[in-house]
Amino acid sequence: MPLILILISASTALAGYFIWAFKRRRYWQERAVPGPRGAFPFGMIMEVMDPGIPWMYKLTEYTKKFGKIWGYQEGMHNVLVVADLQLSNEILHRRFEEFPERKVNHLIKRRPAAPRVHLAEAWGQRWKRLRTIVSPQFSNNSLKKVLPIINDSSRHLAAHVGKHVDQKSINIHRYYQEYTMDVIARIAMGVKESQQWNSQYPDILRAIFERDMRDPIFLLATIAPLMKSILHPIFMKLSKLMKLPVSVLFEQIEKAVAERKKLRDSGTFSSNDFIDLFLDAEASSIDHSKEGVYDRRDIHVSLLGTVLLRGVGTP
């Protein structure tokens, strides 16, 4: 009898999912928004996450085909593409408060009040607080403090390139990746000297960004959004157990922040890198009473994580 009830419940849930999913699939069609449909229930996610063909190239092709405004689906998630400059400015600048969220990974996306939600994922009061902490660190005066570090890494870059002047060609992209991560590691992670071509950070970041996101756990979170609350903690635990690159990265950030706080408390260390700048930052003018409980260390870890992850795509 219990087995029959389980089968009935599972069949009912599955039937309800397919009814909802098929209705969801017609979302853009019912609103007369053009765009590619893709295969049910994945939508365009297999193309979006294809590491062999960057999605940005596909976006250009589909924009030429469907116009400046078109829609598609990533699993059960509706995505509207806006390629009109004036409308983009309206959404991203003039009416930013009405469009605070951004499209992120469907498995990793956190609640806005989560302890380590980073600047690119946050919105509302949490976003304002993080933005208030970050903004002064990118002022002219703050950037001048780290300029000697940037110049020193530039000299090391020139020295490494100079070793291969006799070659007909070199992969300059790899050199700029090493240079970029060297600068970021020194100003965001407290690395004292240039570690170009001897640092593990470029490999870690490349492993994060070059990973095939069509893994079953990511696909399941995309086609069954209600399961994300179960899949996300499972993924985070597996990430730590299996020492996946993103877990290794944040463990190192945690360690760097903890070590710097100990040195600052002992009064034996002073620096102008981003760890110190973030630790010095205060945002008392922001009302964060609605943000929920958080550890101040989590803010620094999330901000430094944002600097590293966003910076790797610069070159």
Side-chain angles (χ1 to χ4, degrees):
M1 192 67 176
L3 181 59
I4 295 177
L5 290 176
I6 293 174
L7 290 174
I8 292 175
S9 299
S11 299
T12 302
L14 193 60
Y17 167 78
F18 276 102
I19 292 172
W20 171 79
F22 275 108
K23 183 178 180 180
R24 185 89 170 168
R25 182 170 168 78
R26 295 179 56 83
Y27 183 86
W28 294 124
Q29 190 175 359
E30 290 175 350
R31 289 160 177 77
V33 176
R37 302 194 68 188
F40 179 84
F42 301 104
M44 301 299 295
I45 193 67
M46 303 305 283
E47 284 194 52
V48 173
M49 299 300 182
D50 185 354
I53 305 176
W55 179 236
M56 299 305 296
Y57 292 119
K58 290 288 186 178
L59 280 175
T60 302
E61 293 178 9
Y62 284 128
T63 299
K64 292 178 180 178
K65 182 177 181 180
F66 297 109
K68 292 184 177 181
I69 300 177
W70 53 278
Y72 71 97
Q73 288 187 315
E74 295 181 2
M76 296 296 108
H77 301 269
N78 297 311
V79 181
L80 184 67
V81 178
V82 178
D84 182 270
L85 292 178
Q86 292 184 347
L87 186 55
S88 296
N89 181 57
E90 187 80 12
I91 294 171
L92 298 174
H93 179 62
R94 296 180 183 176
R95 300 174 63 181
F96 173 80
E97 294 287 347
E98 299 176 38
F99 303 94
E101 294 189 58
R102 296 292 176 265
K103 188 178 81 69
V104 295
N105 185 287
H106 302 302
L107 175 64
I108 306 301
K109 182 179 180 180
R110 299 179 176 91
R111 297 174 290 103
R116 290 190 181 174
V117 64
H118 57 68
L119 187 63
E121 289 183 348
W123 67 87
Q125 291 296 324
R126 173 59 66 88
W127 179 86
K128 289 181 179 179
R129 177 172 174 75
L130 293 176
R131 179 63 182 269
T132 302
I133 293 174
V134 169
S135 294
Q137 319 321 325
F138 290 92
S139 66
N140 288 335
N141 288 334
S142 294
L143 292 177
K144 285 179 181 177
K145 293 179 181 179
V146 298
L147 188 59
I149 296 175
I150 298 173
N151 290 337
D152 184 62
S153 290
S154 298
R155 287 190 289 270
H156 280 83
L157 170 65
H160 283 292
V161 173
K163 296 176 183 178
H164 304 281
V165 291
D166 295 333
Q167 296 183 12
K168 292 182 179 179
S169 63
I170 60 173
N171 183 1
I172 196 64
H173 180 246
R174 290 298 297 272
Y175 284 85
Y176 272 104
Q177 280 187 327
E178 291 286 336
Y179 166 65
T180 301
M181 284 312 305
D182 188 51
V183 171
I184 293 174
R186 295 178 71 180
I187 66 176
M189 296 291 291
V191 176
K192 295 181 180 180
E193 297 179 353
S194 177
Q195 298 290 326
Q196 289 179 43
W197 298 101
N198 291 314
S199 174
Q200 60 180 326
Y201 288 119
D203 290 334
I204 292 175
L205 272 296
R206 274 193 290 268
I208 292 174
F209 282 97
E210 293 176 2
R211 178 177 179 174
D212 191 340
M213 302 299 287
R214 295 174 294 183
D215 286 351
I217 192 169
F218 287 97
L219 291 179
L220 191 56
T222 303
I223 65 177
L226 291 177
M227 294 188 66
K228 194 189 82 167
S229 59
I230 300 173
L231 295 172
H232 182 264
I234 291 175
F235 172 77
M236 297 306 294
K237 290 185 180 298
L238 288 175
S239 178
K240 290 183 178 181
L241 289 173
M242 299 173 65
K243 296 295 182 181
L244 295 181
V246 67
S247 179
V248 172
L249 175 66
F250 277 91
E251 285 178 1
Q252 293 187 5
I253 295 175
E254 289 176 7
K255 183 180 179 180
V257 172
E259 289 178 351
R260 181 60 57 82
K261 291 185 72 174
K262 288 182 181 179
L263 290 172
R264 285 164 59 93
D265 291 341
S266 66
T268 60
F269 189 88
S270 178
S271 175
N272 289 320
D273 61 23
F274 278 13
I275 297 181
D276 271 348
L277 293 173
F278 286 152
L279 288 173
D280 288 337
E282 293 291 341
S284 58
S285 62
I286 298 298
D287 177 15
H288 55 273
S289 59
K290 297 180 181 179
E291 293 181 35
V293 179
Y294 64 90
D295 183 340
R296 186 169 179 78
R297 183 187 65 174
D298 290 330
I299 291 183
H300 304 313
V301 171
S302 68
L303 288 173
L304 291 170
T306 303
V307 171
L308 280 168
L309 292 173
R310 298 300 174 185
V312 74
T314 302

